[in-house]
Amino acid sequence: MKTVFKLAIIRRAVLAQTAILLQRLYHTFRITDGALDWFTSYLSNRPQSVRLHDGQSPFRPLPHGVHQGSVLGPLLFILYTADISHIAKHGLSSHFYADDSQLYVTCRRGEELKCAQRVSACIDEIDDWMASNRLMLNPSKTDLLWCSMRGHPGGVTLMPRGVSRTILSCP
């Protein structure tokens, strides 16, 4: 019974993500009419099978979401997460590529604490956005790199939630 319950939760999450994506395509990217109908059809009730070497599984319905291995998957993920670029503020610069995001900031000596607080606030806000959009930061893949010409400044601790480790880099 627990497995069925977990599956129901996963299906509801994927259904919600599909609805969020379709809303975002319409409201943010102004995709309408036939194009929106095409995306709705593409993301709903599609058959999928798995092929491995000479074998192939029977086709099963994929009621919601993007097919794994789909050529549109990375593009749809970028569109789904596009709002993160608006959150990456707090005086930080950002770079996004497929499912990878980088935030960076430079600061003057003596402003390290203020910069650390801005980075932490931004990551926390992104973490909140992701939770509200049924995503989550993967702490095992989320690192923070601190580079400084003079070593790590004393009294500055930087470990926002969702970050697994801070890497100190000094020349």
Side-chain angles (χ1 to χ4, degrees):
M1 190 58 125
K2 289 182 180 180
T3 304
V4 173
F5 180 66
K6 288 179 184 176
L7 252 164
I9 291 171
I10 291 168
R11 284 187 181 152
R12 278 195 301 258
V14 172
L15 175 60
Q17 287 175 327
T18 300
I20 292 168
L21 175 59
L22 290 170
Q23 289 172 356
R24 201 153 287 145
L25 291 173
Y26 177 76
H27 291 291
T28 304
F29 299 102
R30 306 284 191 245
I31 294 174
T32 61
D33 303 326
L36 188 61
D37 291 343
W38 184 88
F39 277 108
T40 302
S41 172
Y42 180 79
L43 296 169
S44 305
N45 296 315
R46 305 284 296 198
Q48 177 172 323
S49 75
V50 176
R51 181 176 294 174
L52 181 63
H53 304 294
D54 294 333
Q56 182 171 345
S57 71
F59 279 90
R60 303 277 183 198
L62 182 66
H64 312 285
V66 179
H67 293 73
Q68 187 163 353
S70 162
V71 74
L72 283 180
L75 173 64
L76 292 173
F77 184 80
I78 289 169
L79 296 175
Y80 187 86
T81 59
D83 289 350
I84 292 176
S85 66
H86 302 297
I87 296 170
K89 47 189 174 189
H90 304 278
L92 277 68
S93 298
S94 58
H95 176 77
F96 300 96
Y97 179 78
D99 63 348
D100 186 37
S101 305
Q102 298 174 0
L103 304 172
Y104 51 96
V105 64
T106 59
C107 60
R108 297 184 184 278
R109 196 176 5 230
E111 296 179 357
E112 296 93 343
L113 182 59
K114 190 187 318 180
C115 285
Q117 290 169 337
R118 289 184 357 224
V119 169
S120 187
C122 186
I123 292 172
D124 288 348
E125 194 172 334
I126 288 171
D127 190 43
D128 290 340
W129 180 91
M130 291 183 82
S132 70
N133 285 273
R134 300 185 181 269
L135 298 170
M136 62 183 259
L137 288 175
N138 184 344
S140 68
K141 294 183 177 181
T142 305
D143 295 325
L144 189 126
L145 176 64
W146 183 279
C147 300
S148 173
M149 296 298 289
R150 300 182 138 247
H152 190 275
V156 177
T157 303
L158 185 56
M159 188 58 81
R161 63 177 192 238
V163 175
S164 63
R165 63 188 172 143
T166 298
I167 302 167
L168 184 59
S169 175
C170 302

